[in-house]
Amino acid sequence: MTRTLYRSARIFTADEPAWAEALVVDGDTLAYVGDASGAPAADATVDLGGRLVLPGFTDAHTHLLMTGEALGQVGLTDARTLDEIQSRLRDARPGADGVLRGRGWLFDAIPGGAPTAAMIDEAVADIPVYLDANDYHSCWVNTAALAELGITRDTPDPIGGRIERDADGEPTGLLYETAAVQYAWAHRDATATDAQRDAAVERVIGAYLATGVTGVVDMAFDDFGLEAFRRAAERRGGTLPIRVAAHWFVTNTGDDAENVAQVARAAELAAATASPWLRVIGIKLILDGTIDACTAAMGHPYADGTNAEPIWPAERLGPVVDAADAAGLQIAMHAIGDRASTMALDAIEHAIAANGERPRRHRIEHLEYAAPGTAERMARLGVTASMQPVHADPAIFANWAAQLDDERVERAFAWPEYEDAGALLAFSTDAPTAPHASLANIYVATTRASALDTSVPAVHPQFALPLDRSIVHATRDTAASIGDGGWRGRLVPGAAADFAVLDTDPFAAGPEALLSARVVMTVVAGRIAYEA
């Protein structure tokens, strides 16, 4: 087995001591991390020329197939007007093969924040058009797509979702929450081919490796995703170039027995997928929507006086959380509004009482606005705060703030509260709802400034975190958030040889360098998985 010495580097270990000069890789493991003078003999040597080495990033909340698909769709996040959106759709129409898909549009780019099918029809009317919102909790479609989906004035709203309708009861072209899932996304899944999904898998693996990510946690795995990644592993003799852990997506059917049966399926898959490259580790529940679309469940109404009901009411949520906890599954609950995060903690607390003390590390995803005291309660219960710095990017914050328009805005994305309370804080991107690039994510974390538009001033700079702690939350703590903290996420002897090499050192050059720095090498399990 070849031992390789990497020397002449500045190595941030995400541990103590924080810095080293050299490391030795023995197979898939780190045999040495420390001063250059103490490095043992090796079979090969790589001189890194003083470059910065970081532990491999783990994107602890992502959607792999969707990200791979999104990377091949019409990007709309930086289209700030309806005219620009329409222009991009017209430009993309000649290359579309029977359907046109886009992603990332923002509500405040649409007049009145009210997208309609007619608006898309003005640009492309002859084929179905499906446009996922930036938060992926709404899908905007044209008239041809409504017809393809069979959505009419008589189509019922699904549990936890809404088909937007005009004053006469006709569908307008906007599908909220589970209406997007059960109509637009279900049709997408039914019509996509394995070849298309395989291409999406290869696209997303390549994209993540190029940004220094060595591990990912999919937060809505289903049969399509599982089979696509199994095929990817088969193409490589049983391994993958990136470590994939997944939470099985559980939907609220309205029937406790059916809901719990989904948990049982996840438990079977967790027992059957024990590979360090591809495994199911838990379940994912979406308790509410988003603040941008006024579908997050809040303790107090939005600025317009409305509020949203949870997608999972407490009486349906409890049996699922109890069953998953009893099965030893990690439970990850999407909770953006404070009412939803309180419900999540109530359910976890009940499961702990019902099932007794045991090792567990459940999670709440997003926590964009949480009630005071939430962080302390999470620390007491051992619940991870899984948060996404890129969701706080000031370039997309104005609409978020406008929906609340009160003192709650001043506690948006309050990461230091979780640090101060002693809760585990894990950073991720939630791609494709935001860019997947790890360094841009760290830039927002360390500055509260915009990685999307540097002309936009920082918002809530008092919540920015130092660079070293931001990286720790995206490496060591993200690995720990799924139970891997004992063997990866840090650059220490005995840990997995997963690391990234940057061409620029933002510790020396300042956080602004994160926007121009490039990952020049990504090593996974001791093998070079990406090299610029």
Short mmCIF file of all heavy atoms in Angstrom, two decimals, residues 470-507:
data_model
loop_
_atom_site.label_atom_id
_atom_site.label_comp_id
_atom_site.label_asym_id
_atom_site.label_seq_id
_atom_site.Cartn_x
_atom_site.Cartn_y
_atom_site.Cartn_z
N SER A 470 -16.43 28.85 10.95
CA SER A 470 -17.31 28.57 9.81
C SER A 470 -16.86 27.30 9.09
O SER A 470 -17.69 26.45 8.72
CB SER A 470 -17.30 29.74 8.84
OG SER A 470 -17.84 30.90 9.44
N ILE A 471 -15.55 27.15 8.89
CA ILE A 471 -15.05 25.94 8.23
C ILE A 471 -15.29 24.71 9.09
O ILE A 471 -15.68 23.65 8.58
CB ILE A 471 -13.56 26.11 7.89
CG1 ILE A 471 -13.39 27.17 6.79
CG2 ILE A 471 -12.95 24.78 7.45
CD1 ILE A 471 -11.96 27.54 6.50
N VAL A 472 -15.09 24.84 10.39
CA VAL A 472 -15.36 23.71 11.29
C VAL A 472 -16.82 23.27 11.18
O VAL A 472 -17.13 22.06 11.14
CB VAL A 472 -15.00 24.07 12.74
CG1 VAL A 472 -15.62 23.09 13.73
CG2 VAL A 472 -13.48 24.10 12.91
N HIS A 473 -17.75 24.23 11.11
CA HIS A 473 -19.17 23.88 11.01
C HIS A 473 -19.50 23.19 9.68
O HIS A 473 -20.54 22.52 9.58
CB HIS A 473 -20.03 25.14 11.15
CG HIS A 473 -19.99 25.75 12.52
ND1 HIS A 473 -19.99 25.01 13.68
CD2 HIS A 473 -19.95 27.06 12.92
CE1 HIS A 473 -19.96 25.81 14.73
NE2 HIS A 473 -19.92 27.05 14.29
N ALA A 474 -18.65 23.37 8.68
CA ALA A 474 -18.90 22.77 7.37
C ALA A 474 -18.06 21.52 7.11
O ALA A 474 -18.18 20.91 6.04
CB ALA A 474 -18.64 23.80 6.27
N THR A 475 -17.23 21.14 8.07
CA THR A 475 -16.36 19.97 7.90
C THR A 475 -16.51 19.02 9.09
O THR A 475 -17.20 18.01 9.01
CB THR A 475 -14.89 20.40 7.72
OG1 THR A 475 -14.49 21.22 8.83
CG2 THR A 475 -14.71 21.19 6.43
N ARG A 476 -15.87 19.36 10.19
CA ARG A 476 -15.92 18.49 11.37
C ARG A 476 -17.35 18.31 11.88
O ARG A 476 -17.79 17.19 12.15
CB ARG A 476 -15.04 19.08 12.49
CG ARG A 476 -14.93 18.19 13.72
CD ARG A 476 -14.22 18.93 14.84
NE ARG A 476 -15.08 19.96 15.43
CZ ARG A 476 -14.64 20.89 16.28
NH1 ARG A 476 -13.34 20.95 16.59
NH2 ARG A 476 -15.46 21.77 16.80
N ASP A 477 -18.08 19.43 12.00
CA ASP A 477 -19.41 19.34 12.60
C ASP A 477 -20.43 18.71 11.65
O ASP A 477 -21.37 18.06 12.11
CB ASP A 477 -19.88 20.73 13.04
CG ASP A 477 -19.06 21.27 14.21
OD1 ASP A 477 -18.31 20.47 14.82
OD2 ASP A 477 -19.16 22.47 14.51
N THR A 478 -20.25 18.91 10.34
CA THR A 478 -21.18 18.26 9.42
C THR A 478 -20.98 16.75 9.41
O THR A 478 -21.94 15.98 9.32
CB THR A 478 -21.02 18.82 7.99
OG1 THR A 478 -19.63 18.84 7.65
CG2 THR A 478 -21.60 20.20 7.87
N ALA A 479 -19.73 16.31 9.52
CA ALA A 479 -19.48 14.87 9.64
C ALA A 479 -20.08 14.34 10.94
O ALA A 479 -20.73 13.27 10.96
CB ALA A 479 -17.99 14.58 9.58
N ALA A 480 -19.89 15.08 12.03
CA ALA A 480 -20.44 14.65 13.31
C ALA A 480 -21.96 14.62 13.30
O ALA A 480 -22.58 13.80 13.98
CB ALA A 480 -19.96 15.59 14.41
N SER A 481 -22.57 15.48 12.48
CA SER A 481 -24.04 15.57 12.48
C SER A 481 -24.70 14.29 11.99
O SER A 481 -25.88 14.07 12.24
CB SER A 481 -24.49 16.76 11.61
OG SER A 481 -24.34 16.48 10.22
N ILE A 482 -23.96 13.45 11.27
CA ILE A 482 -24.53 12.17 10.82
C ILE A 482 -23.79 10.99 11.46
O ILE A 482 -23.84 9.86 10.96
CB ILE A 482 -24.53 12.04 9.29
CG1 ILE A 482 -23.13 12.22 8.71
CG2 ILE A 482 -25.50 13.03 8.68
CD1 ILE A 482 -23.03 11.86 7.23
N GLY A 483 -23.10 11.25 12.57
CA GLY A 483 -22.46 10.18 13.31
C GLY A 483 -21.10 9.77 12.81
O GLY A 483 -20.55 8.75 13.26
N ASP A 484 -20.49 10.55 11.91
CA ASP A 484 -19.20 10.20 11.32
C ASP A 484 -18.04 10.95 11.96
O ASP A 484 -16.89 10.85 11.49
CB ASP A 484 -19.19 10.50 9.82
CG ASP A 484 -20.10 9.58 9.02
OD1 ASP A 484 -20.64 8.62 9.61
OD2 ASP A 484 -20.27 9.83 7.82
N GLY A 485 -18.29 11.69 13.02
CA GLY A 485 -17.26 12.54 13.59
C GLY A 485 -16.04 11.80 14.11
O GLY A 485 -14.96 12.38 14.21
N GLY A 486 -16.20 10.51 14.43
CA GLY A 486 -15.07 9.75 14.94
C GLY A 486 -14.06 9.35 13.89
O GLY A 486 -12.93 8.98 14.23
N TRP A 487 -14.45 9.42 12.60
CA TRP A 487 -13.53 8.90 11.59
C TRP A 487 -13.32 9.81 10.38
O TRP A 487 -12.48 9.50 9.53
CB TRP A 487 -13.97 7.51 11.12
CG TRP A 487 -15.30 7.45 10.41
CD1 TRP A 487 -16.52 7.40 10.99
CD2 TRP A 487 -15.52 7.40 9.00
NE1 TRP A 487 -17.51 7.34 10.04
CE2 TRP A 487 -16.93 7.32 8.80
CE3 TRP A 487 -14.69 7.42 7.88
CZ2 TRP A 487 -17.50 7.27 7.54
CZ3 TRP A 487 -15.28 7.36 6.61
CH2 TRP A 487 -16.66 7.29 6.46
N ARG A 488 -14.02 10.91 10.29
CA ARG A 488 -13.76 11.83 9.18
C ARG A 488 -14.20 13.23 9.58
O ARG A 488 -14.82 13.44 10.63
CB ARG A 488 -14.44 11.38 7.90
CG ARG A 488 -15.96 11.45 7.90
CD ARG A 488 -16.52 10.89 6.60
NE ARG A 488 -17.97 11.10 6.50
CZ ARG A 488 -18.54 12.14 5.93
NH1 ARG A 488 -17.79 13.09 5.40
NH2 ARG A 488 -19.85 12.26 5.88
N GLY A 489 -13.87 14.21 8.73
CA GLY A 489 -14.23 15.60 9.00
C GLY A 489 -13.12 16.41 9.64
O GLY A 489 -13.20 17.63 9.73
N ARG A 490 -12.06 15.71 10.10
CA ARG A 490 -10.89 16.37 10.69
C ARG A 490 -9.64 15.78 10.04
O ARG A 490 -9.65 14.64 9.58
CB ARG A 490 -10.83 16.12 12.20
CG ARG A 490 -12.04 16.59 12.97
CD ARG A 490 -12.01 16.04 14.39
NE ARG A 490 -12.11 14.57 14.40
CZ ARG A 490 -11.55 13.79 15.32
NH1 ARG A 490 -10.81 14.32 16.27
NH2 ARG A 490 -11.71 12.48 15.26
N LEU A 491 -8.55 16.56 10.04
CA LEU A 491 -7.28 16.06 9.53
C LEU A 491 -6.39 15.70 10.71
O LEU A 491 -5.61 16.50 11.22
CB LEU A 491 -6.63 17.11 8.63
CG LEU A 491 -7.45 17.48 7.38
CD1 LEU A 491 -6.71 18.50 6.53
CD2 LEU A 491 -7.81 16.24 6.56
N VAL A 492 -6.58 14.47 11.18
CA VAL A 492 -5.84 13.94 12.33
C VAL A 492 -5.45 12.51 12.01
O VAL A 492 -6.11 11.84 11.20
CB VAL A 492 -6.68 13.98 13.62
CG1 VAL A 492 -7.02 15.42 14.01
CG2 VAL A 492 -7.96 13.17 13.47
N PRO A 493 -4.37 11.99 12.62
CA PRO A 493 -4.00 10.60 12.37
C PRO A 493 -5.14 9.64 12.69
O PRO A 493 -5.82 9.78 13.71
CB PRO A 493 -2.80 10.40 13.31
CG PRO A 493 -2.22 11.76 13.49
CD PRO A 493 -3.41 12.68 13.50
N GLY A 494 -5.35 8.70 11.78
CA GLY A 494 -6.40 7.71 11.94
C GLY A 494 -7.70 8.08 11.26
O GLY A 494 -8.57 7.22 11.09
N ALA A 495 -7.85 9.34 10.86
CA ALA A 495 -9.08 9.76 10.18
C ALA A 495 -8.98 9.46 8.69
O ALA A 495 -7.91 9.21 8.14
CB ALA A 495 -9.31 11.25 10.39
N ALA A 496 -10.13 9.48 8.02
CA ALA A 496 -10.17 9.27 6.58
C ALA A 496 -9.36 10.36 5.88
O ALA A 496 -9.39 11.53 6.27
CB ALA A 496 -11.61 9.29 6.09
N ALA A 497 -8.64 9.95 4.84
CA ALA A 497 -7.83 10.90 4.07
C ALA A 497 -8.70 11.61 3.06
O ALA A 497 -8.67 11.35 1.86
CB ALA A 497 -6.67 10.18 3.39
N ASP A 498 -9.55 12.51 3.56
CA ASP A 498 -10.47 13.31 2.75
C ASP A 498 -10.08 14.77 2.94
O ASP A 498 -10.23 15.31 4.04
CB ASP A 498 -11.92 13.13 3.21
CG ASP A 498 -12.45 11.71 3.04
OD1 ASP A 498 -11.73 10.86 2.50
OD2 ASP A 498 -13.60 11.48 3.47
N PHE A 499 -9.58 15.41 1.88
CA PHE A 499 -9.19 16.81 2.05
C PHE A 499 -9.21 17.54 0.72
O PHE A 499 -9.28 16.92 -0.36
CB PHE A 499 -7.80 16.93 2.70
CG PHE A 499 -6.67 16.22 2.00
CD1 PHE A 499 -5.92 16.86 1.03
CD2 PHE A 499 -6.35 14.92 2.35
CE1 PHE A 499 -4.86 16.21 0.40
CE2 PHE A 499 -5.29 14.26 1.73
CZ PHE A 499 -4.55 14.90 0.74
N ALA A 500 -9.18 18.88 0.81
CA ALA A 500 -9.20 19.74 -0.36
C ALA A 500 -8.02 20.70 -0.30
O ALA A 500 -7.63 21.17 0.77
CB ALA A 500 -10.50 20.52 -0.42
N VAL A 501 -7.46 21.01 -1.47
CA VAL A 501 -6.33 21.93 -1.59
C VAL A 501 -6.79 23.16 -2.36
O VAL A 501 -7.36 23.03 -3.45
CB VAL A 501 -5.14 21.26 -2.31
CG1 VAL A 501 -3.96 22.23 -2.38
CG2 VAL A 501 -4.74 19.96 -1.61
N LEU A 502 -6.56 24.34 -1.78
CA LEU A 502 -6.99 25.60 -2.40
C LEU A 502 -5.79 26.34 -2.99
O LEU A 502 -4.67 26.24 -2.48
CB LEU A 502 -7.67 26.50 -1.37
CG LEU A 502 -9.15 26.28 -1.07
CD1 LEU A 502 -9.40 24.88 -0.52
CD2 LEU A 502 -9.65 27.32 -0.07
N ASP A 503 -6.03 27.12 -4.03
CA ASP A 503 -4.96 27.90 -4.64
C ASP A 503 -4.74 29.23 -3.93
O ASP A 503 -3.77 29.95 -4.23
CB ASP A 503 -5.22 28.13 -6.13
CG ASP A 503 -6.40 29.06 -6.40
OD1 ASP A 503 -7.14 29.41 -5.44
OD2 ASP A 503 -6.60 29.43 -7.57
N THR A 504 -5.61 29.59 -3.00
CA THR A 504 -5.53 30.85 -2.27
C THR A 504 -5.84 30.58 -0.81
O THR A 504 -6.68 29.72 -0.49
CB THR A 504 -6.55 31.88 -2.82
OG1 THR A 504 -6.33 32.04 -4.21
CG2 THR A 504 -6.42 33.22 -2.12
N ASP A 505 -5.19 31.30 0.08
CA ASP A 505 -5.39 31.12 1.52
C ASP A 505 -6.23 32.27 2.07
O ASP A 505 -5.71 33.36 2.31
CB ASP A 505 -4.04 31.06 2.24
CG ASP A 505 -4.19 30.81 3.73
OD1 ASP A 505 -5.33 30.77 4.23
OD2 ASP A 505 -3.15 30.65 4.39
N PRO A 506 -7.52 32.07 2.28
CA PRO A 506 -8.36 33.17 2.79
C PRO A 506 -8.03 33.54 4.24
O PRO A 506 -8.40 34.63 4.68
CB PRO A 506 -9.78 32.62 2.65
CG PRO A 506 -9.62 31.13 2.62
CD PRO A 506 -8.31 30.87 1.98
N PHE A 507 -7.36 32.66 4.98
CA PHE A 507 -6.92 33.05 6.33
C PHE A 507 -5.91 34.19 6.23
O PHE A 507 -5.89 35.07 7.08
CB PHE A 507 -6.27 31.85 7.04
CG PHE A 507 -7.24 30.82 7.52
CD1 PHE A 507 -7.48 29.68 6.78
CD2 PHE A 507 -7.92 30.99 8.72
CE1 PHE A 507 -8.37 28.71 7.22
CE2 PHE A 507 -8.81 30.03 9.17
CZ PHE A 507 -9.05 28.89 8.42
#
